[in-house]
Amino acid sequence: MQKALETDEELLLLFKQNNNQQALATLYLRYSELVYGTCLKYLKDAEAAKDAVMNIYTELLQKLPAQEVHHFKSWLYVVVKNHCLMQLRRSKTATIVEFQPTFMQSADLLHLDDLLDKEAHFKMLEQCMEKLSDEQRMAIQLFYFENKCYNEIAAQTAMEWNKIRSLIQNGRRNLKICMEQHG
């Protein structure tokens, strides 16, 4: 005849060592009224509380093997409380909101805004380029728009390398000032 397991610790150990679900069921039944009462207190609905009692047992099957539990009753109470709070949180966040396109910007419109901003920026750049001296405009054009290096520009224009560098630096500074003045 097998000795009756009395303590929570013995039942818990039997479950953990042998995956004995009967031991866990016996232990859980000891506290089923506590579990149900706690669920009812938080969920305020008898059917939801009954469902939670069943779900918590399933949760215990998964959680207990990895947990170090010294006082089953207090640990169980925390599990039950957290389960109920998660249920309440899920029910609050599960509200359905009707989609209203007038409240949201379309990605297509944002892309169009970007294109319009770039186009306006480019037009302003063209206007500022017209305000540069001929030499600065030509040096900027060759360097930035045609991707030529200082040596290539010097060879093409028969200007000295230092003069090209000076034209590009001064042209950039003048472009920046012009662009800042025009927004």
Side-chain angles (χ1 to χ4, degrees), residues 34-49:
L34 169 73
V35 172
Y36 177 73
T38 305
C39 291
L40 191 57
K41 172 184 153 193
Y42 280 98
L43 302 176
K44 298 184 184 352
D45 177 34
E47 290 305 310

Side-chain angles (χ1 to χ4, degrees), residues 81-97:
K81 182 178 88 167
N82 289 340
H83 179 87
C84 291
L85 291 173
M86 288 303 293
Q87 288 289 107
L88 291 171
R89 198 170 292 143
R90 261 188 240 120
S91 67
K92 284 182 183 174
T93 59
T95 56
I96 297 173
V97 177

Side-chain angles (χ1 to χ4, degrees), residues 123-160:
K123 284 184 181 193
M124 189 185 319
L125 179 63
E126 285 179 337
Q127 291 171 355
C128 289
M129 285 283 289
E130 293 300 320
K131 294 179 181 180
L132 295 176
S133 70
D134 290 340
E135 285 184 330
Q136 285 180 355
R137 184 174 41 254
M138 182 255 327
I140 295 285
Q141 182 73 33
L142 291 171
F143 187 76
Y144 287 104
F145 295 101
E146 296 181 25
N147 295 318
K148 297 196 183 270
C149 68
Y150 287 3
N151 291 335
E152 291 172 324
I153 298 170
Q156 184 177 338
T157 62
M159 290 185 199
E160 291 183 21

Side-chain angles (χ1 to χ4, degrees), residues 50-110:
K50 288 176 187 174
D51 289 344
V53 169
M54 297 307 293
N55 292 333
I56 290 167
Y57 180 77
T58 307
E59 198 174 315
L60 292 182
L61 287 171
Q62 297 168 352
K63 284 186 175 183
L64 262 175
Q67 296 287 319
E68 187 68 35
V69 178
H70 297 289
H71 301 287
F72 181 77
K73 183 178 178 181
S74 56
W75 179 84
L76 178 62
Y77 176 78
V78 171
V79 169
V80 171
K81 182 178 88 167
N82 289 340
H83 179 87
C84 291
L85 291 173
M86 288 303 293
Q87 288 289 107
L88 291 171
R89 198 170 292 143
R90 261 188 240 120
S91 67
K92 284 182 183 174
T93 59
T95 56
I96 297 173
V97 177
E98 185 178 325
F99 175 72
Q100 296 180 359
T102 57
F103 290 143
M104 295 183 68
Q105 286 186 336
S106 167
D108 295 338
L109 292 176
L110 290 176

